[in-house]
Amino acid sequence: MTATTLPNMPEVILRRIWQGQNFSTGHLTTSDKRSVTILSPGTPNTDAGPDFLNAKIAIGKTTFHGDVEIHMTAEEWRTHKHDIDPHYNKVILHVVLTVDPLSPPSRTASRRPIPLLVLHPFLDEKFHRAWATALLSEQAGATSTLFCKDVNADVPAKIILTWLEKLANERVELKVRRYEERLKQLVDETRHVIREPYPRYYGNPADIPSPGNDYTKKDFSKKDLWEQLLYEGIMESFGYSRNTKPFLELARSMQLRTLRTRSLDKTQEMMAMLFGAAGILPSRDEMPNPESRRYVNELKKIWKTFRPQFKETMLGTGDWLFFRLRPNNFPTARLAAMCFLLPNLFGDESFRRLIRIFKDVSLTPKERIRRLSDMFQFEPDEFWKHNYHFKGKKSSSADDSQTAGVSLGAARINDIIVNTIVPIVLLYARIFKDSSIGKNVRAMLIALPASQENPLTQIIQTQLMDKKGSLNSALLQQGAIQLFRFYCVPARCLECAVGRRTALADTVFLNEVSRIAIADPIK
């Protein structure tokens, strides 16, 4: 196949070809004739930044770990301005379908040249099959339609609600197991034990191996371990979907015990340490506003005195994403909010106070929700009342429909309660065999209002629930997420309580695939 006979395909199809490695991989070479061995193509990135993250590729005699960017032509690297974007500094391979021989080499913002892999010489009949499959998959996924949409009307509401509650418990159990693995890792760190990295498990909790029996209650009795676990969980939640990784990395590098070498209620010092370690204290040139310059200069002075003591890995501006985020969700705004919350969340006896909320038998589920929400209330200083970042742009009602300045809305607080506090407290109850805590947690989860609707839960609501009820609790929302991700997307209809009640569920799926395949002209 030559460059002139290449098909006109969407770039998304080329990304699927790369992900499935559907081309001749035996004798790959870069444009400058170095051998290429793809040890791992990387993980697809659904946000801004390179197309695939954490790839492992041997180029010549060197094995590289980093990101991969996919384009139809090599020229798109510059037309998309990746050469000046620090988010692309970790790219180790630029993969294109074709290239103009006169194109200059692609470079990162740090001016490092990037090896180029031109795919068209390595495409064969395997490519045509993969292209057809990828196109079919893309067409089927683009509709966001449940396979049982037209045949689930007769499934009783009770069946659906019971199934969603079961899946919600399954999803919560996954979170508990993940926090348990991290807690064991923290114990090992205090013991100075080195183990293999802890995996993250997804899907069915039954597939997760049982915890090892070389830990005792005494190992888990240190309050500092639980507070670090909670700190990491809240920081990760502050990243939402796009910045969870850097927030978690920051929490593990700038640990709570390090912050406690200073007073948590000295907010400016907390900001200097967290923003400094995050690598997002801007330069003078980036702050045209005098107020911002004064504020940041004070933080920089504090960070300069602390920096020699900080031996962990620092993050950089390229690790953080601002693209397509509402200003109130900028990582700068969320990190500032965390600094204001530190004394309330991690002051004296704070973790014991959290546990007492669930042990107090006199509290109703709604009262527990209110007390937990109170823990996340704060008053920002004058700067953060009017800014979402350091560059001096004042907030306004046009920036955020809820409120001006740094804040946490009720829906966001509920998300943190569901995704962090609930599984950690359940883990505590399990380890210390306190069934009353577990019972109270689950009762509160039923009473907790649903978070803001998202495209995923909207699909379940409109195509499954319809007029049978609403996803009006956090518990049902969690069940809907688990249903869509682990049953609907992989088409596990015959394993689903709803699918088993629709005799046509498997036939509908097969007919849909056949219909798209017949309509597809590619052979």
Side-chain angles (χ1 to χ4, degrees):
M1 182 180 289
T2 66
T4 57
T5 61
L6 290 175
N8 182 19
M9 71 174 75
E11 187 179 296
V12 66
I13 301 301
L14 188 60
R15 290 198 292 269
R16 288 181 180 271
I17 298 298
W18 171 261
Q19 183 177 359
Q21 297 291 281
N22 299 117
F23 47 87
S24 300
T25 59
H27 302 286
L28 295 175
T29 58
T30 61
S31 58
D32 58 358
K33 307 305 180 185
R34 286 179 288 169
S35 63
V36 176
T37 302
I38 304 164
L39 304 174
S40 170
T43 304
N45 178 21
T46 57
D47 284 315
D51 293 311
F52 290 84
L53 308 177
N54 304 315
K56 184 179 180 182
I57 300 173
I59 301 175
K61 297 181 180 180
T62 305
T63 299
F64 296 87
H65 297 257
D67 304 333
V68 174
E69 177 68 2
I70 309 288
H71 286 130
M72 295 302 296
T73 67
E75 293 75 19
E76 291 177 67
W77 180 268
R78 280 172 295 281
T79 60
H80 293 178
K81 301 186 185 301
H82 298 335
D83 56 329
I84 59 174
D85 189 340
H87 291 113
Y88 292 81
N89 277 347
K90 297 179 183 178
V91 171
I92 57 173
L93 186 65
H94 187 199
V95 179
V96 300
L97 190 60
T98 185
V99 64
D100 184 332
L102 300 179
S103 295
S106 300
R107 292 181 180 271
T108 63
S110 61
R111 307 309 300 155
R112 174 177 56 83
I114 305 171
L116 179 68
L117 173 62
V118 184
L119 275 186
H120 77 77
F122 308 101
L123 301 177
D124 52 19
E125 68 282 353
K126 188 178 179 182
F127 159 75
H128 291 283
R129 294 195 301 271
W131 185 23
T133 301
L135 184 61
L136 184 152
S137 175
E138 187 64 24
Q139 290 172 340
T143 62
S144 298
T145 301
L146 302 184
F147 291 118
C148 69
K149 176 180 182 293
D150 297 325
V151 293
N152 62 34
D154 293 333
V155 180
K158 184 177 180 181
I159 295 291
I160 297 174
L161 293 173
T162 301
W163 179 232
L164 289 178
E165 288 177 6
K166 180 181 183 299
L167 293 180
N169 290 326
E170 183 178 288
R171 184 167 177 79
V172 171
E173 178 63 19
L174 281 170
K175 298 177 192 295
V176 172
R177 294 286 185 94
R178 290 175 193 154
Y179 278 116
E180 185 172 18
E181 291 299 320
R182 176 55 183 161
L183 184 63
K184 291 192 297 182
Q185 190 177 26
L186 289 169
V187 170
D188 288 344
E189 289 174 5
T190 62
R191 295 172 170 179
H192 302 291
V193 173
I194 299 176
R195 296 180 187 265
E196 289 296 316
Y198 288 87
R200 296 197 71 166
Y201 297 102
Y202 298 87
N204 189 347
D207 297 334
I208 303 176
S210 300
N213 57 5
D214 54 342
Y215 298 89
T216 66
K217 284 185 183 180
K218 185 177 180 181
D219 293 321
F220 301 121
S221 62
K222 294 181 179 179
K223 177 171 63 74
D224 291 351
L225 297 176
W226 291 96
E227 290 178 334
Q228 176 64 25
L229 189 68
L230 182 64
Y231 167 67
E232 291 180 9
I234 293 174
M235 286 281 276
E236 186 176 20
S237 293
F238 273 22
Y240 304 125
S241 60
R242 300 189 180 183
N243 285 294
T244 53
K245 182 179 178 182
F247 263 102
L248 183 57
E249 289 179 356
L250 179 60
R252 292 184 177 182
S253 61
M254 181 62 77
Q255 294 196 359
L256 194 57
R257 64 183 179 188
T258 307
L259 292 174
R260 281 177 168 155
T261 60
R262 308 289 181 98
S263 178
L264 295 183
D265 59 4
K266 293 185 177 179
T267 305
Q268 200 170 41
E269 294 190 4
M270 296 299 103
M271 285 197 183
M273 294 167 75
L274 282 169
F275 278 106
I280 49 178
L281 285 175
S283 65
R284 182 180 179 85
D285 294 340
E286 296 176 278
M287 298 178 295
N289 185 289
E291 179 192 17
S292 297
R293 284 201 298 272
R294 287 193 297 269
Y295 196 90
V296 172
N297 285 340
E298 287 301 315
L299 298 184
K300 284 185 172 182
K301 288 178 185 177
I302 299 170
W303 174 242
K304 184 177 181 180
T305 63
F306 181 81
R307 179 68 184 91
Q309 307 168 43
F310 187 68
K311 306 300 182 184
E312 305 299 327
T313 303
M314 282 183 58
L315 283 76
T317 54
D319 293 307
W320 302 93
L321 295 175
F322 289 77
F323 184 63
R324 289 180 182 171
L325 288 178
R326 293 174 63 189
N328 204 32
N329 292 339
F330 284 172
T332 44
R334 289 296 169 231
L335 197 52
M338 188 65 184
C339 294
F340 293 116
L341 285 170
L342 283 171
N344 201 29
L345 293 175
F346 302 104
D348 292 340
E349 301 298 312
S350 58
F351 189 79
R352 290 191 175 94
R353 178 160 53 96
L354 172 64
I355 296 300
R356 282 198 296 270
I357 290 175
F358 293 96
K359 288 181 73 73
D360 190 341
V361 296
S362 68
L363 296 178
T364 65
K366 289 187 178 180
E367 287 171 336
R368 290 191 175 92
I369 294 169
R370 189 183 69 250
R371 292 201 180 186
L372 291 174
S373 297
D374 288 345
M375 294 175 64
F376 290 89
Q377 304 304 317
F378 66 92
E379 181 70 22
D381 63 20
E382 196 61 29
F383 180 85
W384 292 106
K385 280 181 181 178
H386 305 287
N387 294 278
Y388 298 114
H389 47 65
F390 291 116
K391 296 182 181 180
K393 180 183 177 182
K394 297 287 186 179
S395 63
S396 67
S397 58
D399 290 327
D400 192 302
S401 60
Q402 292 181 343
T403 184
V406 171
S407 63
L408 285 181
R412 297 304 187 188
I413 294 173
N414 287 349
D415 285 341
I416 296 171
I417 292 173
V418 171
N419 294 309
T420 302
I421 291 180
V422 163
I424 288 177
V425 173
L426 282 176
L427 176 60
Y428 179 93
R430 180 174 301 175
I431 288 176
F432 295 104
K433 302 187 184 306
D434 193 324
S435 59
S436 65
I437 290 180
K439 181 180 177 181
N440 291 334
V441 170
R442 295 185 187 280
M444 186 202 69
L445 193 57
I446 294 172
L448 193 66
S451 298
Q452 291 178 336
E453 192 175 57
N454 57 54
L456 187 157
T457 57
Q458 189 175 33
I459 290 170
I460 299 297
Q461 178 65 61
T462 58
Q463 299 181 29
L464 177 60
M465 301 295 290
D466 197 15
K467 300 176 182 179
K468 299 173 185 176
S470 62
L471 303 173
N472 57 5
S473 72
L475 186 73
L476 292 179
Q477 271 196 335
Q478 290 292 300
I481 294 170
Q482 189 76 357
L483 171 63
F484 187 84
R485 289 182 176 172
F486 296 106
Y487 291 86
C488 300
V489 171
R492 294 167 59 192
C493 302
L494 298 182
E495 300 174 53
C496 171
V498 176
R500 289 195 297 268
R501 295 286 298 224
T502 58
L504 295 177
D506 52 337
T507 307
V508 168
F509 168 63
L510 293 174
N511 286 347
E512 178 70 8
V513 172
S514 299
R515 181 187 65 78
I516 298 172
I518 291 171
D520 187 358
I522 303 169
K523 302 297 182 184

